[in-house]
Amino acid sequence: MPTKRTTPDLILMIVTFTLLAVGLIMVYSASAVWAEYKFNDSFFFAKRQMLFAGVGIFAMFFIMNIDYWTWRKFAKVILIVCFVLLVLVLIPGIGNVRNGSRSWIGVGAFSIQPSEFMKLAMIAFLAKYLSENQKKITSFRKGLVPSLGLVFLAFGMIMLQPDLGTGTVMVGTCVVMIFIAGAKISHFVGLGMLGVLGFVGLVISAPYRIKRITSFLDPWQDPLGSGFQIIQSLYAIGPGGLFGLGLGQSRQKFFYLPEPQTDFIFAILAEELGFIGGSFVLLLFSLLLWRGIRIALGAPDLFGSFLAVGIIAMVAIQVMINIGVVTGLMPVTGITLPFLSYGGSSLTLMLMAIGVLLNISRHSRY
């Protein structure tokens, strides 16, 4: 059993709380106009985000004090529970439909998104599997197929909702973990070609996904339809300039950019705080990534290393996709910006993941 340090990584904790504080401020700033119009309460979304943050912080500190190898012991049980939740969410009357996706279980704003928690469950289980079968991972049949088979089973269930964004982050995270474990590049090349064909099939099977691809290439072909969000996002980022229009002074949040407190909150941040504010947020994410890598390298066992790598990869991939979408570099998909976007399940999950990372840091040798 690894020896415990007395203190967690303080830099990681400070960066996390700084991102969380920026997120709370920006959720209020981005949502106040829409919340006042729809609910007659400009703090509607901000109050709920504060509640989610409180739950998430409690969970983070609680998990930070649970020895991380406990997740190895219960990884299989947690994964099974998440699979059950993915089944339940598809049942009419149990799963709630929002924006065309049956992804939530619960009542109103106080509901959970099982696919979000599946990401962390899959990371824990895969870390356990890879740490126990690292020598097999170079074998396509004995190592790679079993691990990726389970990942794509979860991905398929998430796509039944459908939720391409969350599924993509989960698959990308798991691929990074398997690659770090020592899987052969030649195996990834072959699977990558199959993945491209599968992705093309998913796009062709749903007309709205085709529109998202075409709008990404040229959003001005359909400025009032599929290209609307990207155009409005760019209209927010452009006027922000170097220093921004000032906190609370966004123009795009006045019913131009749909629900700006969620996936496109970075556009509002860039409009109000400019290039400097956007760069500051990206710097914070870079610091978080740096501390996570140090923790992974210093972990006393393979399970801790793979667990830390998975968590950091999940955050990094989600940030890259969200920023890519907001800046028009990637097709629109429903991916929140960690710690900043409005959303209870996403925020709670991320803070729980940081709690695990902080516990690993209490054992890391760095």
Side-chain angles (χ1 to χ4, degrees):
M1 186 177 292
T3 304
K4 182 182 291 187
R5 290 171 55 190
T6 56
T7 58
D9 191 307
L10 294 180
I11 296 178
L12 176 62
M13 191 179 295
I14 292 170
V15 169
T16 300
F17 279 117
T18 304
L19 283 168
L20 187 59
V22 173
L24 290 172
I25 293 171
M26 290 311 305
V27 164
Y28 170 71
S29 180
S31 68
V33 175
W34 174 245
E36 180 68 30
Y37 169 76
K38 190 173 183 179
F39 302 103
N40 199 31
D41 179 7
S42 61
F43 288 91
F44 180 85
F45 293 105
K47 288 188 294 187
R48 279 157 177 76
Q49 188 75 344
M50 290 182 68
L51 177 61
F52 299 144
V55 172
I57 290 171
F58 175 82
M60 184 186 77
F61 279 109
F62 180 77
I63 290 173
M64 184 183 73
N65 290 287
I66 298 176
D67 292 329
Y68 71 86
W69 56 84
T70 303
W71 303 109
R72 181 175 184 166
K73 181 179 179 180
F74 295 102
K76 185 181 294 185
V77 175
I78 295 171
L79 186 68
I80 291 172
V81 170
C82 286
F83 268 115
V84 171
L85 290 175
L86 286 181
V87 172
L88 291 176
V89 80
L90 297 173
I91 301 175
I94 298 179
N96 299 326
V97 179
R98 299 181 187 176
N99 299 323
S101 296
R102 189 181 295 276
S103 304
W104 286 265
I105 296 177
V107 179
F110 301 99
S111 55
I112 64 169
Q113 192 173 359
S115 57
E116 286 286 344
F117 294 94
M118 174 54 86
K119 292 188 297 187
L120 190 55
M122 189 61 73
I123 288 170
F125 182 83
L126 199 58
K128 169 183 167 66
Y129 176 83
L130 293 174
S131 63
E132 295 174 352
N133 300 275
Q134 190 181 19
K135 292 182 179 179
K136 295 181 180 179
I137 202 63
T138 55
S139 170
F140 182 81
R141 183 174 60 87
K142 295 180 180 180
L144 196 60
V145 170
S147 55
L148 283 181
L150 188 65
V151 172
F152 280 103
L153 174 61
F155 176 75
M157 295 183 68
I158 292 173
M159 284 307 301
L160 292 175
Q161 299 177 10
D163 188 353
L164 180 60
T166 301
T168 300
V169 172
M170 184 193 69
V171 172
T173 299
C174 294
V175 167
V176 169
M177 293 177 67
I178 294 170
F179 179 77
I180 293 296
K184 293 182 178 179
I185 296 178
S186 59
H187 292 164
F188 278 111
V189 172
L191 289 173
M193 295 175 66
L194 291 176
V196 170
L197 292 175
F199 181 78
V200 171
L202 287 173
V203 171
I204 295 175
S205 66
Y208 76 91
R209 294 190 188 121
I210 296 177
K211 290 183 178 179
R212 285 185 175 183
I213 295 295
T214 56
S215 65
F216 152 67
L217 297 173
D218 185 5
W220 280 270
Q221 282 187 352
D222 187 11
L224 298 179
S226 58
F228 184 78
Q229 282 183 302
I230 297 178
I231 291 173
Q232 298 306 318
S233 178
L234 295 176
Y235 280 162
I237 295 172
L242 186 60
F243 298 105
L245 303 178
L247 185 63
Q249 301 303 310
S250 167
R251 299 164 185 160
Q252 291 302 109
K253 67 183 179 184
F254 283 86
F255 313 111
Y256 293 104
L257 189 59
E259 298 193 53
Q261 73 277 4
T262 55
D263 302 344
F264 284 84
I265 195 168
F266 188 79
I268 303 300
L269 185 147
E271 184 183 14
E272 295 188 347
L273 304 181
F275 178 80
I276 299 298
S279 297
F280 175 69
V281 169
L282 293 179
L283 175 61
L284 290 174
F285 280 121
S286 298
L287 287 173
L288 190 147
L289 178 62
W290 166 54
R291 300 309 295 181
I293 292 173
R294 282 177 58 89
I295 291 168
L297 291 174
D301 57 15
L302 282 176
F303 174 72
S305 293
F306 288 136
L307 190 59
V309 165
I311 291 170
I312 286 301
M314 176 181 67
V315 176
I317 290 171
Q318 199 156 324
V319 169
M320 287 189 292
I321 293 177
N322 180 274
I323 301 297
V325 168
V326 170
T327 55
L329 298 176
M330 299 179 68
V332 174
T333 185
I335 291 291
T336 57
L337 185 59
F339 308 108
L340 272 74
S341 294
Y342 173 79
S345 293
S346 176
L347 182 60
T348 304
L349 179 280
M350 284 296 171
L351 289 171
M352 289 172 62
I354 293 299
V356 175
L357 201 57
L358 287 170
N359 183 264
I360 299 173
S361 76
R362 300 178 72 175
H363 307 276
S364 292
R365 300 183 296 267
Y366 66 89

